[in-house]
Amino acid sequence: MSDYNLENLQVLIKKATELHVERNFTEAIDYYKGAMKLGLSIYDESKNEREKKELSTLILKLSKNLDKCKGPNFDDVVGLEDFKKLFRENIFAVVRNRKMAEKYKVKANCCILLQGPPGTGKSYGIKAAVNEFPEAQLFETKVSDLIDAYIGNTGKNIDKLFNKAKEYINEREDHYAIIFIDEIDGIARSRKSDDKGAKEAMSSLLVNLTKVDEENLNIIFIGATNTPDELDAAFLSRFGNNIVEIPLPDTEARKMILKKNLPYASEDINWDKISLLTFGLNGRDLKFIAKDANKKAFNNAIEGEEGPVDEKVLEDMIKIAIDRRKKIANHL
C-alpha cells in the first residue's frame, strides 16, 4: 500500500471534517464519500490484518459522519432557539477553540436539562445537534431500558451506560460522547418517598454526573422531562444555568413547521389564520396535520383532482387533530 494513498486519505478526511464543522454539509458529503471510496480501495490492497482493522474502524466513522451530514441539522429545527444557542456558545465554541478554552479553564457544558410539554421537538433537537458535531457519538437510551425490578440493577444499568460512553472517548482522542435520556423523571424523581429502588437509581446517577464533571471527561449528559416539578433537588442542582425551557411553538414557529412539511401547498393559504387555528398544538401535532393534508391531496390527485394542499384541506386536518387531542386528554 502506498504512502501516497494514505496521505490522500488523510487530506480528504481533514477537508470533509472542516466542511462539516463549517456547516457546508453538501460539500462535506462529497468529501466523505471520496474518503470512503479511497479507504475501501486501500483496505482491499492491504495484506496487514491490523491495518485492515484500523481502516475498517475509520470507514465506519466516515459512514456515520456522512449520515450526519444527510440528516437533520439546526436549520431544520424550528424554534428551540435557547437550546441551539446553548450548544453553539457553550459546547461548539469550546470544542472549536480548545487552546483558548484551556487558557480560561473553560470546558464544554457537561449537563443540560430540557424541560417542556411532549411533542415540542426535544429528541429531534438532540439528533440535529449531534449531526452538527462530527466529533460526537450519541448514546441514547430509554428510561424503560434502565429500570429493573430488582433493587440495585437499575443503578448498575446506569453505570453501564456511563462506562460505555467512557470507553468510547478513551479510544478516541478529542471526541465527545453525548448521553441522552428522555423522560428522565422516570429515574430522577424526588427521593422523599421510601422507594429504595428510586433512591439507589438517583444515587448512581448523581455519582456518575459528579465524575463526569470532576474528571473533565468529554461526556455531555442531556436529560429531558415533561414534569420538572417531580425531579430531585440534588439532581436539578447539577445543571446550573443549563436548564432550557422548550415551549410549545409560537405563532411564527407553527407556520414554519407546517410550511416545512407541506412540499406542495397552495399560494393562497392564509397562514395567519391557520396559525391561529393551531394555537396550543405541539410540533408533533403540526407534523401529523401536514402529513394527513399531504395524503388527502395525494388521494384527490389519483382520483383525477390533482392540486396543491389548500386552506380547506388544512382546516379539516386541524379540526381532526384538535378532536384527537381532546380524546387523548379525556382518556387521561
Side-chain angles (χ1 to χ4, degrees):
M1 176 182 19
S2 71
D3 292 337
Y4 174 75
N5 280 340
L6 281 174
E7 287 177 8
N8 274 351
L9 178 60
Q10 292 303 319
V11 168
L12 287 172
I13 292 172
K14 183 180 178 182
K15 184 63 177 179
T17 305
E18 288 174 353
L19 289 166
H20 194 159
V21 169
E22 293 168 3
R23 307 188 73 251
N24 187 340
F25 301 112
T26 302
E27 287 193 42
I29 286 172
D30 291 337
Y31 276 90
Y32 278 130
K33 285 181 177 179
M36 288 176 65
K37 184 177 180 180
L38 181 56
L40 287 168
S41 175
I42 297 171
Y43 179 92
D44 291 338
E45 293 176 7
S46 177
K47 305 298 181 184
N48 186 310
E49 288 304 317
R50 180 182 176 184
E51 201 169 65
K52 288 172 79 77
K53 185 177 180 180
E54 290 176 353
L55 282 166
S56 179
T57 300
L58 179 59
I59 292 167
L60 179 60
K61 177 190 171 185
L62 291 171
S63 176
K64 287 181 178 179
N65 280 350
L66 176 63
D67 288 340
K68 285 183 179 183
C69 288
K70 291 179 178 179
N73 56 64
F74 278 167
D75 293 339
D76 300 306
V77 178
V78 178
L80 277 68
E81 296 305 325
D82 290 342
F83 169 71
K84 289 187 279 189
K85 181 180 179 183
L86 186 150
F87 247 87
R88 288 185 181 119
E89 295 182 358
N90 297 344
I91 295 177
F92 293 149
V94 175
V95 174
R96 312 291 180 230
N97 301 277
R98 293 181 186 278
K99 290 184 179 179
M100 191 67 71
E102 289 175 4
K103 180 178 179 179
Y104 285 90
K105 302 299 180 186
V106 172
K107 67 169 190 169
N109 288 113
C110 66
C111 294
I112 300 169
L113 180 66
L114 309 180
Q115 61 182 44
T120 47
K122 295 186 285 293
S123 297
Y124 188 74
I126 296 295
K127 289 175 182 176
V130 173
N131 287 344
E132 297 257 352
F133 201 173
E135 308 94 335
Q137 173 70 28
L138 177 63
F139 293 84
E140 181 178 5
T141 190
K142 298 176 182 177
V143 167
S144 58
D145 292 333
L146 296 173
I147 294 176
D148 194 294
Y150 293 97
I151 293 177
N153 283 357
T154 301
K156 289 179 182 177
N157 289 338
I158 293 171
D159 291 341
K160 287 178 183 177
L161 175 63
F162 277 85
N163 287 336
K164 189 176 179 181
K166 289 176 187 175
E167 288 173 8
Y168 174 82
I169 59 175
N170 286 340
E171 294 173 1
R172 297 162 180 83
E173 186 179 354
D174 294 336
H175 275 57
Y176 282 76
I178 298 178
I179 297 175
F180 174 50
I181 305 178
D182 198 3
E183 299 181 352
I184 190 67
D185 40 278
I187 56 172
R189 293 181 184 275
S190 173
R191 292 172 289 177
K192 292 180 181 179
S193 68
D194 293 328
D195 187 339
K196 292 182 179 179
K199 288 182 178 179
E200 63 88 10
M202 267 303 306
S203 177
S204 176
L205 188 57
L206 292 175
V207 167
N208 279 290
L209 290 178
T210 299
K211 286 182 179 179
V212 166
D213 186 37
E214 292 181 350
E215 296 176 14
N216 292 317
L217 299 174
N218 286 2
I219 294 177
I220 299 165
F221 175 85
I222 305 176
T225 180
N226 305 328
T227 55
D229 295 342
E230 297 180 7
L231 296 176
D232 186 83
F235 174 74
L236 282 172
S237 70
R238 296 298 195 276
F239 297 93
N241 293 326
N242 298 323
I243 299 177
V244 182
E245 185 71 31
I246 309 294
L248 289 169
D250 61 18
T251 300
E252 290 303 314
R254 293 197 298 278
K255 292 180 192 177
M256 290 177 64
I257 292 171
L258 285 171
K259 288 179 179 181
K260 272 182 173 289
N261 290 278
L262 291 168
Y264 186 30
S266 171
E267 296 180 358
D268 298 326
I269 293 174
N270 183 338
W271 288 108
D272 290 333
K273 177 184 176 183
I274 293 297
S275 184
L276 285 173
L277 290 174
T278 55
F279 177 80
L281 297 182
N282 61 39
R284 188 182 299 136
D285 294 325
L286 296 167
K287 288 178 181 178
F288 274 126
I289 288 169
K291 181 179 179 181
D292 292 341
N294 290 332
K295 191 180 295 182
K296 176 65 175 176
F298 165 75
N299 288 333
N300 288 342
I302 61 176
E303 290 174 4
E305 298 180 15
E306 184 175 352
V309 172
D310 60 25
E311 193 168 308
K312 176 64 168 59
V313 169
L314 268 182
E315 288 179 353
D316 290 344
M317 297 307 116
I318 291 168
K319 185 178 184 301
I320 291 171
I322 292 173
D323 289 343
R324 182 167 56 228
R325 286 291 301 272
K326 288 178 180 177
K327 288 178 181 178
I328 293 171
N330 291 335
H331 177 72
L332 294 175

